[in-house]
Amino acid sequence: MKNFWKSGDPFVWLTGGAIALSLIMILGLLGLIVVNGLRQFWPPQIVELHLQNGETVLGEIWEREEILALDGQGSGHRIRLKIGNRDLYPLDFRWIDESEIVAKRYPENVLVLERLEWGNFYGRFNTLKQGNTILANSLGTGQEALADALAEMALLRTRIRELEKDEIGSINYDLEKLRLEARKLLLTSDTTSVAVQRSLTEKRKKMTVLQRQYLEKEKALSALYTKSREMVLTATSADGREKAIKIFDIVRLTTPNALDVVARSRVFLSRVAEFVSAEPRESNTEGGVFPAIFGTVILVLIMSVAVAPLGVLAAVYLHEYAKQGLVVSAIRIAVNNLAGVPSIVYGVFGLGFFVYAIGGTLDQLFYAEALPTPTLGTGGILWASLTLALLTVPVVIVATEEGLAAVPREIREGSLALAATQFETLWRVVIPSALPGILTGLILAIARAAGEVAPLMITGVVKLAPSMPFDGRFPFLHLERKFMHLGVHIYDVGFQSPNVEAAIPMVYSTTLLLILIVILLNVVAISVRNRLRKKLAYSVF
Amino acid sequence: MQIELGEKAVTSQRRLSDRESRVRLMKRKLYDRIARWVVAGGGFTIIASILAILLFILMEIAPLFRPAEVTEVNRSTVTALFTDTPEIGADIVALSIDENREVACLLSAGGVVQFISLKTWQLLESHLLPEIRGQKITSVWQSFKSDRFVLGTDHGLAVQLHIGYNARFFEGQRSYRPAINSGSTWPVAPSNERLTDVAFSGDPEESMIIAGISDKGRVHIFQQTKEASLFGEAEVDSAHYQLEQIWTGKPAAVAIDGTMRNLYMGSTDGKIYHWLLSPAAAPEFVTTTKAVSGDGGGITDLQFLLGGRTLIAADSNGGIGAWFLVRDSIGPAGWRLTKIRDLQTHVGSVVKLAPSARGKGFISADADGNLFLHHSTSGRFLAEFSTGAGIPVKALSFAPKANGALTLAADGKLTHWNVDNPHPEASVKSFFGKVWYEGYEEPEYVWQSTGGTDEFEPKLSLVPLLFGSLKGTLYALVIAVPLAIFGALFTSQFMHPGLRNKIKPTVEIMAALPSVVLGFLGGLWLAPRIEIIIPALLLMAVVLPLLTLLVSALWKALPGRYRSNVRPGVESLVLVPVLLFGIWLSLQLNGFMETMLFAGDFRVWLYEQAGMSFDQRNALVVGLVMGFAIIPLIYTISEDAFSNVPGNLVSGSLALGATRWQTALKVVVPTAAAGIFSAVMIGLGRAVGETMIVLMATGNTPIMDWNIFNGFRTLSANIAVEIPEAPLGGTLYRVLFLAAMLLFVITFVVNTAAELVRQRLRRQFQKL
């Protein structure tokens, strides 16, 4: 026994326990996110419970936990059932004591309707009507008619969206632009001059034309909406209540209990696709996160455009041009440490400097016609990107400097000995060799930006952006717009949404997506660095 | 290939003429020079601009500590204003200014209300108060905004006066239609007594109290109560009391607080007397306090600050004190009037006080014509200005937006002042010291930046936030440091390189995990689960090490031929299922443990036995999650430090017969100690500034309490929570910048220390 302690092995094992525990935590966390992030896409079994008091309940079993029995003796279990039908019941979820359950069935004819509003509906098919004519009155005979109706309404939804967002949206955009232009003319130029008057009249004329177009579109839209109300599915909920649901409102209709694994996988994939490509519904608790993905991508792109040249320039200066000495090494330490300064500090700086100081001034100079509504003097994608650029510039500087330092002296000296100037050496020899370092720095910066939240919350991210920062309307890239971001989306939906319980599955999925992106970027950064390093090693004389 | 290139270069060279090549060389040199300028200029600018962040933040903070500026806008004299009626000019008793500081109102003892333009000093309108006819106004009470007055006359009457400036904005021009509204009179004292001071509280239409001091040395109370009867009809009762003369000296000033429950009287021998008022009964004397230090001083004015809780008492020695009621179990009324702080002392006797209508500031004026601008909460003496040396201030009014003042000196000089006082509540003491706030029993550190009403006293102590940052960091380090450093030691010393190359990147990638993800899991997944498994967590702390030791003993007992076949470092992988089993076991025993140790309910037990409350989102959750976030950081840096310990040291130690553990502990750890220090510092730097995790996984309550089961609020989370609502350029906005600067400085210092230590370590290794 004494030997056992003396050998020190138990302590070695204890330190091994530390790394094992860390690994368990890491893998546990990843597993938790993956399972919870994907689970919600898999079509669940719908259970029908008959309770002692004669009630019948339909829903998905969400979780099961141990409870003390009512008499305090022994214990039982209770289950949490997602009963949906938000328009009929007050709550999405319900706890049911297992001892109250008389019978449990998985009926094949149960429908799950994913709707535009009110969340899921669980129930049974009753009739399918178009106006007053009944198209089908049982699920078996109505399969085809139902599928057709769903397809038709899906088309209609797309059409309405196009009309609302693109066509009417662009008319509104043009109208607003004309209004501001007119106001600018009134504010800045001599209104008595003939040219100004003429231009004003012209603008008013254009506005009238647009307004007429707007009315036409509006009429077309209301016709489409009338059409959307035509087809109605009546379904019966578990407690026998009948509910008429517009086919138009049904995003997806499944009969999960009747599906086999292949069909289930298909539903799973279609739901994953919806998550990545659709817009959010029901105050971000359902639908997709496409605007958040898009916002994140644009943010990261603008940031890269700003950070790459700046970071490289600063690093080249520090490493190639500046006289090495105490000052430069002090600067180097300072830059290095800026990477450790909390991101919220950059956020505060971005808000004070970019948004209020620069944005406010630019508004006064160029967007006076829109005041007091701020254009650039409020958070927006440009300011958020610049804030992040500032936050990540130390990362790029440090990585680039590392890359520059790794370029062998011989290569430089060879180039200089061949009478190349310092700039030519730098441009043709050193920078290409340091490219892996630069690239790694940039990718790490992007990964950091994709996951950063605190500074974005105060410089321009919103919970729901009405329009994207990049679209088909001139000038295409709208730098002043507010946008959505995956990281902020997690915080917002998880902590600020009115129905957190219903929102949590969405948060898990968003988390999974964000983690995948960040880890992927990091892995790419590491492998790019390794691969280019190898390549570089061979290219050395 | 290279030769080929060389030939090409040579041929192309040959084709150039001398002139051409000279031009080309010049061009190349020019490019080089331009590049040098661009790179040097650009690089330097970028680095300078990054460093300018701190400068910008400092610039935003600086105005907080700047004193207020009071400047004269313009002036006139009453003789110039009232050339036709000099008797009115000589008799001004009260002043008032409108919100925009364009019109002023002068009230004369004879009851003439004159509106004048502050730009042109021209008379706009003149009204005569019919209620005053035949009397003289001898004392004035005015509201914070100087729009409501109660005037005491020489016939013992109190008269209500309401001034409206009625500004209207039409086509870019502001015009005024001033009006007065008077009518109610109340007999406060018998008609042969002259009221030398009046105080008022309440609403003339509803319940109200007027107190008056008469020239006969009496104090009169007039009380009006209005109660709605059952049938919705209002009944108005009024009562009159004359206070029993228990005082020594003579009554000099009275004041009634905002609750209409407390009456204070200051006497000429420097005491404050306190009575309790009630709607139905006669005033009840509570206590008396000496309020003037030194002999011979008497109270000259008593005024409540906005909110009606803090009483400012000025005396003839020039002293000014802030007082309010503090809960007192011994005193007769349960409350005791306590002097909270002294404000800047005047040289001469203080004659007038004018409270601000915005916050807890006020102006005091003395008999030498000096005026001081104070703020009660911060205790700051903000500015000093003078109407003329040696000439007492006769009347004074603080503008409704607290951005200006109007003074009248005894020689008739009327001065309009601009008061630039953006951040009176800010001071080093109010940020970092204990401050005695209204309604508190003692000075405390409190952060509560906004309240529901205008009368709210902002509490801007950064100490609870610093404490929160420290608390979160500490708990995170307690969890992360042992795991990370032991893990790093194992990975670097006892693990096969092949395995190490897989484990290390796995841990490192976790450093890139966005903190919002960890915060979300901490707040919504971990917090509700931790709550029920605290007994299991305690059990794990015992079970997991025990299991590890057990396995190590079993491993030792294993025949050598099995052991020698596995690569070193596999121990950690063997331990994964074992630890998982331990965790599962502890969770299974959770209920049992809770019944055995904590009488069935940990939270109840905690409250009953230790008196500690339990928040769901607490420091334990943050410690775990933030610990998780900084493990990779500390792990990577300390692993590097351990691995860089020169191999010959390790080999030497092993060759001398030391076991691998002895080598690790006695050789590797001491050599790499500086690296461990720097790793911990960098982890600390990250934890101090972490925002999202603490924002999501704590309750964000700014309390100061080391209890691991309570929440806290950190500097960083506080910025994230409050800056979206902080108005640009306001005090809160700048205080949040101050918080940001604190974070900047803390992390910068910590990281620099770590970096310097690391560099020294690197040099040290190079020597070995």
Side-chain angles (χ1 to χ4, degrees):
Chain A
M1 194 61 200
K2 204 178 156 197
N3 269 339
F4 171 66
W5 290 107
K6 220 176 160 187
S7 70
D9 276 357
F11 302 110
V12 173
W13 279 82
L14 280 179
T15 57
I19 193 80
L21 200 61
S22 305
L23 283 178
I24 290 176
M25 280 163 70
I26 289 165
L27 298 177
L29 178 123
L30 289 181
L32 180 80
I33 292 171
V34 169
V35 169
N36 279 303
L38 290 179
R39 196 174 75 159
Q40 66 146 332
F41 299 123
W42 187 256
Q45 292 274 344
I46 303 299
V47 67
E48 187 179 57
L49 299 175
H50 298 270
L51 305 183
Q52 271 172 352
N53 58 5
E55 248 186 293
T56 316
V57 207
L58 264 179
E60 302 171 31
I61 295 180
W62 210 255
E63 59 184 314
R64 180 168 184 260
E65 69 171 30
E66 201 173 349
I67 46 157
L68 285 174
L70 288 176
D71 54 2
Q73 299 292 311
S75 59
H77 286 89
R78 61 172 186 173
I79 49 176
R80 196 154 79 109
L81 204 66
K82 184 179 176 182
I83 51 175
N85 301 16
R86 214 175 287 158
D87 39 354
L88 297 179
Y89 310 129
L91 290 170
D92 276 344
F93 290 93
R94 180 173 165 181
W95 284 104
I96 291 170
D97 201 326
E98 279 193 352
S99 61
E100 286 176 26
I101 300 172
V102 180
K104 202 172 179 180
R105 270 197 290 264
Y106 295 92
E108 291 214 332
N109 60 354
V110 169
L111 290 179
V112 176
L113 308 178
E114 287 167 39
R115 298 180 290 178
L116 285 180
E117 282 167 349
W118 302 106
N120 285 1
F121 183 90
Y122 303 105
R124 288 190 172 80
F125 185 90
N126 206 344
T127 50
L128 175 68
K129 283 193 219 165
Q130 180 162 27
N132 286 327
T133 45
I134 293 176
L135 295 180
N137 46 21
S138 82
L139 190 55
T141 57
Q143 288 277 12
E144 233 166 78
L146 195 56
D148 287 349
L150 283 169
E152 192 186 331
M153 285 302 153
L155 275 178
L156 192 63
R157 266 204 306 276
T158 327
R159 176 70 197 122
I160 284 183
R161 221 193 85 89
E162 268 173 25
L163 202 59
E164 276 179 347
K165 279 245 163 171
D166 301 345
E167 298 176 23
I168 294 184
S170 82
I171 289 175
N172 280 336
Y173 182 80
D174 291 344
L175 266 175
E176 177 66 14
K177 227 161 114 183
L178 280 171
R179 189 186 71 81
L180 287 178
E181 275 168 17
R183 210 177 119 78
K184 192 173 190 175
L185 270 181
L186 284 176
L187 279 178
T188 53
S189 43
D190 177 17
T191 45
T192 49
S193 94
V194 184
V196 172
Q197 283 297 341
R198 194 179 301 146
S199 144
L200 274 176
T201 340
E202 203 176 299
K203 287 200 162 60
R204 277 191 203 117
K205 220 178 274 168
K206 271 190 200 160
M207 279 163 89
T208 330
V209 173
L210 281 174
Q211 258 147 4
R212 204 173 302 133
Q213 284 177 2
Y214 175 83
L215 288 178
E216 276 166 27
K217 297 275 180 202
E218 189 86 296
K219 214 179 280 170
L221 189 66
S222 85
L224 288 183
Y225 271 117
T226 318
K227 203 177 165 207
S228 80
R229 285 189 286 270
E230 269 178 10
M231 299 227 230
V232 172
L233 170 75
T234 46
T236 324
S237 70
D239 53 359
R241 275 193 270 178
E242 209 166 85
K243 178 86 195 160
I245 298 158
K246 281 180 280 173
I247 296 285
F248 181 77
D249 282 344
I250 300 174
V251 181
R252 186 178 292 107
L253 180 147
T254 44
T255 48
N257 291 352
L259 296 178
D260 57 4
V261 178
V262 180
R264 267 166 201 276
S265 312
R266 210 172 287 144
V267 174
F268 175 80
L269 289 177
S270 99
R271 289 170 94 168
V272 171
E274 186 199 348
F275 175 72
V276 202
S277 65
E279 291 191 13
R281 280 185 273 125
E282 289 283 78
S283 61
N284 294 353
T285 60
E286 280 168 32
V289 291
F290 179 70
I293 300 177
F294 194 78
T296 312
V297 169
I298 299 283
L299 169 84
V300 159
L301 284 180
I302 301 177
M303 182 212 76
S304 306
V305 167
V307 81
L310 294 184
V312 172
L313 201 62
V316 166
Y317 167 69
L318 272 184
H319 197 264
E320 305 285 323
Y321 285 90
K323 211 170 142 199
Q324 301 301 313
L326 208 63
V327 177
V328 166
S329 47
I331 288 179
R332 196 167 285 142
I333 289 183
V335 167
N336 215 340
N337 289 348
L338 279 174
V341 168
S343 54
I344 187 80
V345 175
Y346 288 97
V348 167
F349 174 78
L351 182 75
F353 185 70
F354 291 131
V355 176
Y356 289 144
I358 295 189
T361 316
L362 289 179
D363 266 2
Q364 301 268 324
L365 293 178
F366 302 112
Y367 296 95
E369 69 274 13
L371 286 173
T373 314
T375 311
L376 285 166
T378 174
I381 193 156
L382 177 65
W383 303 139
S385 308
L386 290 183
T387 305
L388 282 190
L390 212 55
L391 182 115
T392 50
V393 90
V395 178
V396 178
I397 294 181
V398 169
T400 308
E401 264 216 88
E402 256 170 40
L404 292 173
V407 177
R409 254 178 92 91
E410 296 87 346
I411 299 191
R412 277 170 223 267
E413 282 169 1
S415 164
L416 291 172
L418 289 170
T421 60
Q422 191 184 5
F423 173 65
E424 285 163 351
T425 309
L426 183 74
W427 190 245
R428 303 258 173 94
V429 178
V430 178
I431 293 219
S433 316
L435 214 55
I438 297 172
L439 218 55
T440 315
L442 192 60
I443 297 173
L444 289 179
I446 289 174
R448 170 121 196 237
E452 201 54 74
V453 171
L456 296 176
M457 285 195 317
I458 54 182
T459 54
V461 178
V462 285
K463 54 167 65 196
L464 196 65
S467 46
M468 305 266 198
F470 182 87
D471 60 20
R473 287 175 209 132
F474 186 78
F476 309 118
L477 187 59
H478 304 275
L479 291 174
E480 78 288 354
R481 281 195 186 158
K482 294 190 185 288
F483 63 108
M484 289 170 78
H485 179 269
L486 279 174
V488 181
H489 198 73
I490 293 174
Y491 170 69
D492 187 76
V493 179
F495 287 78
Q496 312 279 315
S497 98
N499 190 353
V500 172
E501 206 171 37
I504 282 185
M506 272 298 277
V507 185
Y508 272 113
S509 305
T510 317
T511 305
L512 178 62
L513 187 67
L514 181 63
I515 288 198
L516 281 180
I517 293 174
V518 170
I519 289 187
L520 198 75
L521 281 171
N522 272 282
V523 170
V524 167
I526 291 170
S527 66
V528 161
R529 181 164 51 183
N530 289 347
R531 180 180 294 180
L532 286 176
R533 240 181 224 166
K534 262 180 214 158
K535 214 169 157 189
L536 196 68
Y538 293 128
S539 71
V540 173
F541 304 89
Chain B
M1 175 100 169
Q2 272 171 17
I3 299 161
E4 209 176 305
L5 262 176
E7 273 177 355
K8 233 185 212 165
V10 170
T11 39
S12 66
Q13 195 91 62
R14 215 175 274 146
R15 270 182 207 149
L16 290 174
S17 72
D18 254 16
R19 204 185 118 77
E20 273 171 333
S21 82
R22 209 174 305 130
V23 168
R24 205 179 133 182
L25 193 66
M26 272 167 67
K27 236 189 204 165
R28 283 172 59 207
K29 276 192 175 154
L30 186 68
Y31 282 154
D32 189 47
R33 200 162 303 154
I34 290 173
R36 176 179 290 269
W37 287 337
V38 168
V39 172
F44 191 77
T45 320
I46 290 159
I47 289 160
S49 61
I50 298 174
L51 300 178
I53 294 176
L54 191 63
L55 199 70
F56 179 81
I57 295 179
L58 281 175
M59 269 167 51
E60 289 288 318
I61 298 167
L64 282 178
F65 301 102
R66 229 173 264 151
E69 258 179 59
V70 180
T71 46
E72 188 183 308
V73 180
N74 52 13
R75 69 165 88 170
S76 181
T77 58
V78 281
T79 35
L81 273 171
F82 303 101
T83 41
D84 302 340
T85 49
E87 72 281 2
I88 294 180
D91 249 9
I92 303 292
V93 288
L95 307 170
S96 154
I97 324 178
D98 88 302
E99 274 199 338
N100 309 306
R101 290 166 45 218
E102 288 178 347
V103 178
C105 171
L106 279 57
L107 179 66
S108 79
V112 184
V113 184
Q114 310 266 0
F115 288 95
I116 54 167
S117 159
L118 278 177
K119 284 180 179 162
T120 59
W121 297 104
Q122 267 170 357
L123 212 62
L124 297 176
E125 249 176 79
S126 172
H127 300 263
L128 185 65
L129 289 174
E131 294 81 6
I132 302 295
R133 190 162 300 153
Q135 308 179 52
K136 267 201 162 335
I137 299 170
T138 49
S139 53
V140 177
W141 172 90
Q142 61 192 85
S143 66
F144 294 108
K145 285 188 174 169
S146 297
D147 57 345
R148 289 184 296 125
F149 291 83
V150 172
L151 313 168
T153 69
D154 56 354
H155 285 61
L157 218 60
V159 177
Q160 179 205 4
L161 169 66
H162 199 120
I163 303 176
Y165 290 98
N166 305 329
R168 40 179 77 191
F169 209 69
F170 184 68
E171 289 189 344
Q173 287 286 316
R174 208 183 278 127
S175 62
Y176 292 85
R177 197 170 285 174
I180 62 164
N181 185 2
S182 63
S184 305
T185 56
W186 303 283
V188 172
S191 61
N192 61 346
E193 292 186 17
R194 190 158 57 93
L195 289 173
T196 57
D197 194 25
V198 283
F200 172 87
S201 182
D203 181 349
E205 308 290 315
E206 304 282 329
S207 302
M208 59 152 207
I209 297 172
I210 303 173
I213 297 176
S214 75
D215 57 341
K216 304 256 170 13
R218 297 182 184 130
V219 181
H220 299 277
I221 311 283
F222 181 86
Q223 218 166 339
Q224 172 183 303
T225 44
K226 185 174 179 185
E227 270 171 44
S229 68
L230 275 177
F231 309 103
E233 288 165 46
E235 277 178 38
V236 178
D237 277 334
S238 61
H240 180 272
Y241 304 101
Q242 185 185 327
L243 295 181
E244 195 188 331
Q245 298 206 9
I246 46 165
W247 48 84
T248 54
K250 283 179 82 180
V254 278
I256 308 167
D257 75 354
T259 62
M260 296 162 58
R261 307 263 315 165
N262 298 289
L263 170 74
Y264 303 97
M265 185 273 282
S267 68
T268 51
D269 60 348
K271 288 182 185 158
I272 298 179
Y273 295 80
H274 176 199
W275 283 268
L276 270 187
L277 304 173
S278 69
E284 180 192 338
F285 174 69
V286 184
T287 176
T288 175
T289 323
K290 181 100 174 102
V292 179
S293 53
D295 292 328
I299 299 287
T300 52
D301 200 0
L302 291 179
Q303 289 290 338
F304 273 101
L305 293 186
L306 184 67
R309 296 180 84 160
T310 303
L311 180 69
I312 301 294
D315 62 54
S316 56
N317 291 346
I320 301 171
W323 300 69
F324 51 74
L325 288 176
V326 174
R327 199 172 275 285
D328 175 25
S329 48
I330 312 155
W335 298 89
R336 184 167 38 91
L337 185 68
T338 311
K339 189 179 207 171
I340 304 306
R341 58 183 74 87
D342 279 310
L343 295 135
Q344 178 71 27
T345 312
H346 286 259
V347 176
S349 166
V350 180
V351 292
K352 283 249 178 260
L353 294 171
S356 150
R358 294 270 170 103
K360 310 285 176 190
F362 64 98
I363 299 176
S364 58
D366 67 22
D368 296 332
N370 296 315
L371 294 111
F372 290 0
L373 179 61
H374 310 265
H375 192 265
S376 166
T377 313
S378 63
R380 267 179 90 181
F381 169 46
L382 291 152
E384 181 180 4
F385 51 113
S386 169
T387 55
I391 303 152
V393 175
K394 197 175 165 196
L396 160 70
S397 175
F398 209 159
K401 285 182 177 167
N403 55 358
L406 190 64
T407 57
L408 174 66
D411 62 353
K413 192 168 27 165
L414 202 55
T415 320
H416 174 204
W417 305 89
N418 183 50
V419 177
D420 181 19
N421 183 22
H423 310 294
E425 58 274 69
S427 73
V428 174
K429 190 170 178 286
S430 64
F431 297 145
F432 300 105
K434 282 191 175 178
V435 177
W436 202 337
Y437 299 105
E438 288 181 351
Y440 281 69
E441 283 173 42
E442 53 185 7
E444 270 182 64
Y445 301 114
V446 185
W447 172 270
Q448 195 186 355
S449 60
T450 42
T453 61
D454 293 344
E455 295 164 2
F456 174 76
E457 185 178 34
K459 302 168 184 68
L460 299 172
S461 177
L462 293 173
V463 177
L465 309 175
L466 271 167
F467 178 90
S469 290
L470 202 68
K471 182 180 174 185
T473 307
L474 205 79
Y475 283 115
L477 286 179
V478 163
I479 302 224
V481 165
L483 280 179
I485 290 180
F486 285 144
L489 187 65
F490 184 86
T491 321
S492 67
Q493 300 301 315
F494 311 128
M495 199 180 261
H496 189 270
L499 197 56
R500 187 166 85 198
N501 291 343
K502 288 194 181 67
I503 302 273
K504 204 180 167 203
T506 315
V507 180
E508 275 172 350
I509 279 232
M510 298 322 286
L513 209 64
S515 59
V516 67
V517 170
L518 293 172
F520 153 66
L521 288 176
L524 290 181
W525 185 82
L526 193 63
R529 283 169 179 75
I530 283 278
E531 194 179 15
I532 26 179
I533 60 155
I534 283 175
L537 277 183
L538 292 175
L539 196 61
M540 273 180 219
V542 182
V543 166
L544 299 187
L546 277 183
L547 271 177
T548 312
L549 291 179
L550 187 72
V551 173
S552 81
L554 288 176
W555 186 261
K556 196 121 198 169
L558 218 63
R561 56 198 159 95
Y562 292 113
R563 269 189 288 152
S564 55
N565 277 343
V566 290
R567 298 199 283 187
V570 173
E571 288 101 323
S572 58
L573 297 188
V574 171
L575 279 175
V576 168
V578 175
L579 293 183
L580 279 178
F581 169 74
I583 291 169
W584 176 82
L585 189 73
S586 307
L587 289 177
Q588 288 303 308
L589 290 175
N590 182 50
F592 175 71
M593 288 286 291
E594 194 157 17
T595 332
M596 291 292 292
L597 295 177
F598 306 115
D601 192 331
F602 176 73
R603 295 171 57 170
V604 173
W605 179 87
L606 187 74
Y607 188 73
E608 283 174 356
Q609 297 297 314
M612 299 203 299
S613 59
F614 189 99
D615 294 341
Q616 194 189 53
R617 291 180 185 167
N618 55 38
L620 178 64
V621 177
V622 175
L624 283 170
V625 178
M626 201 144 77
F628 186 91
I630 59 176
I631 281 177
L633 230 77
I634 302 182
Y635 172 86
T636 311
I637 299 171
S638 44
E639 210 272 345
D640 284 345
F642 288 137
S643 310
N644 287 335
V645 171
N648 49 10
L649 286 184
V650 177
S651 317
S653 164
L654 290 173
L656 287 170
T659 63
R660 53 179 184 157
W661 175 247
Q662 282 169 328
T663 309
L665 204 63
K666 301 271 168 68
V667 178
V668 176
V669 172
T671 322
I676 302 174
F677 170 78
S678 111
V680 173
M681 291 307 264
I682 285 180
L684 188 143
R686 162 97 197 261
V688 165
E690 181 50 64
T691 309
M692 292 318 289
I693 292 179
V694 282
L695 184 63
M696 295 160 98
T698 71
N700 287 313
T701 39
I703 47 170
M704 289 176 71
D705 179 356
W706 282 113
N707 181 358
I708 191 171
F709 300 116
N710 269 352
F712 51 87
R713 181 186 277 206
T714 66
L715 281 171
S716 51
N718 185 59
I719 296 174
V721 170
E722 304 215 353
I723 208 161
E725 269 86 48
L728 173 64
T731 305
L732 177 58
Y733 178 80
R734 297 196 192 283
V735 171
L736 294 176
F737 268 80
L738 178 66
M741 196 202 65
L742 277 182
L743 278 176
F744 189 108
V745 169
I746 293 172
T747 48
F748 207 84
V749 167
V750 164
N751 286 339
T752 308
E755 181 63 27
L756 291 177
V757 166
R758 204 147 59 136
Q759 283 188 357
R760 233 187 73 188
L761 185 74
R762 211 171 287 149
R763 279 199 297 276
Q764 200 181 321
F765 279 149
Q766 275 164 5
K767 276 186 218 149
L768 285 170

